[in-house]
Amino acid sequence: MYFVDSSLFDQLPIAWKYALENRVDANTWEGLNASLLHARSQGVCYPPQGLELAAFRACDPSAVKVVILGQDPYHGKGQAHGLAFSVMQGVAWPPSLRNVLKELGDDKGHDSLSLQGLREEGVLEHLPQQGVLLLNDVLTVSEGLPGSHSHFGWQQITGSVMKYLVDSDRPCVFILWGKHAREHKKHITHAHHLVLEAPHPSPLSAYRGFFGSKPFSKTNAWLEAFGLEPIRW
């Protein structure tokens, strides 16, 4: 195995470095570094530098049993912190997160706007602790410009992560939200994995099938059927 000299690559925990062994080459990491360095020299990018790969530090590959995959990070000031759909404590909920929590409330039979503890603030850090990988197809974005980093090559990283998890013998639920995330469905062919797909929870598409999709209860029912601990959403 080779370890590339890469500021992004260096952010990966050792377990993820080994998981992506021979799946992502040095040129991909170097290209990402160069593209992101240039983007940051031109303006503000999110999440802040050093948090681009926070999702991997929050969830070991051996612990992953659910993947929630979106499009790219929040593009507003102070919102993205490296975990897809999550915000830091005290940050106002972006519309997509508000819709996720509304669906959670409808699905699980409680008022999502009165959730207790961390969830009350929109912080989703309790999910990776239970094996939920909160990932986007593209892991960085320029301020105010959704989709602006879609040509950087992030998909080679996230696609390799998805393929690693798909190839694993461990059952996994893949929750794919939005067109870009749903492109990964064609690679998830093993019968011991579950795919739950829906439109993105953004206000532009949430009413086209995201609301009412019940991903949280479906995930837990499937995990329990395989003898796995359900997620405390």
Side-chain angles (χ1 to χ4, degrees), residues 4-61:
V4 298
D5 181 15
S6 163
S7 57
L8 278 173
F9 186 81
D10 289 343
Q11 292 184 38
L12 281 175
I14 190 68
W16 278 109
K17 287 179 179 178
Y18 280 109
L20 298 180
E21 178 183 13
N22 300 325
R23 292 177 181 268
V24 183
D25 62 30
N27 290 334
T28 297
W29 290 107
E30 290 168 2
L32 268 172
N33 279 328
S35 295
L36 190 53
L37 181 64
H38 177 74
R40 291 194 186 280
S41 74
Q42 300 300 303
V44 177
C45 298
Y46 300 121
Q49 190 168 7
L51 294 180
E52 298 93 342
L53 302 180
F56 302 107
R57 294 197 295 274
C59 192
D60 191 86

Side-chain angles (χ1 to χ4, degrees), residues 47-214:
Q49 190 168 7
L51 294 180
E52 298 93 342
L53 302 180
F56 302 107
R57 294 197 295 274
C59 192
D60 191 86
S62 65
V64 177
K65 57 185 179 182
V66 179
V67 178
I68 295 180
L69 186 67
Q71 179 174 325
D72 58 0
Y74 297 129
H75 54 85
K77 183 178 180 180
Q79 295 176 333
H81 67 113
L83 303 182
F85 298 102
S86 178
V87 295
M88 296 295 286
Q89 188 171 3
V91 175
W93 295 353
S96 291
L97 176 58
R98 184 168 294 276
N99 287 339
V100 169
L101 295 180
K102 180 182 185 302
E103 176 61 18
L104 172 61
D106 292 343
D107 186 4
K108 300 295 288 179
H110 55 72
D111 180 3
S112 64
L113 301 185
S114 63
L115 294 173
Q116 299 300 311
L118 294 176
R119 283 168 284 182
E120 190 172 39
E121 300 294 339
V123 181
L124 304 181
E125 290 175 336
H126 64 292
L127 295 180
Q129 295 170 10
Q130 301 174 71
V132 181
L133 182 63
L134 298 174
L135 198 62
N136 281 307
D137 192 44
V138 173
L139 300 183
T140 56
V141 68
S142 291
E143 184 174 32
L145 296 171
S148 51
H149 294 189
S150 61
H151 61 291
F152 283 10
W154 276 117
Q155 297 89 340
Q156 296 180 60
I157 307 297
T158 54
S160 295
V161 169
M162 293 288 285
K163 289 175 183 176
Y164 166 78
L165 295 171
V166 167
D167 290 343
S168 171
D169 292 334
R170 293 176 290 106
C172 188
V173 181
F174 294 92
I175 302 175
L176 312 178
W177 288 340
K179 177 182 177 181
H180 298 280
R182 295 168 82 172
E183 285 293 318
H184 292 275
K185 180 183 178 181
K186 60 180 177 286
H187 301 299
I188 308 171
T189 57
H190 299 309
H192 61 280
H193 299 314
L194 174 67
V195 178
L196 300 174
E197 56 177 328
H200 195 276
S202 75
L204 295 175
S205 55
Y207 286 95
R208 299 175 185 171
F210 174 78
F211 288 136
S213 59
K214 299 186 180 300

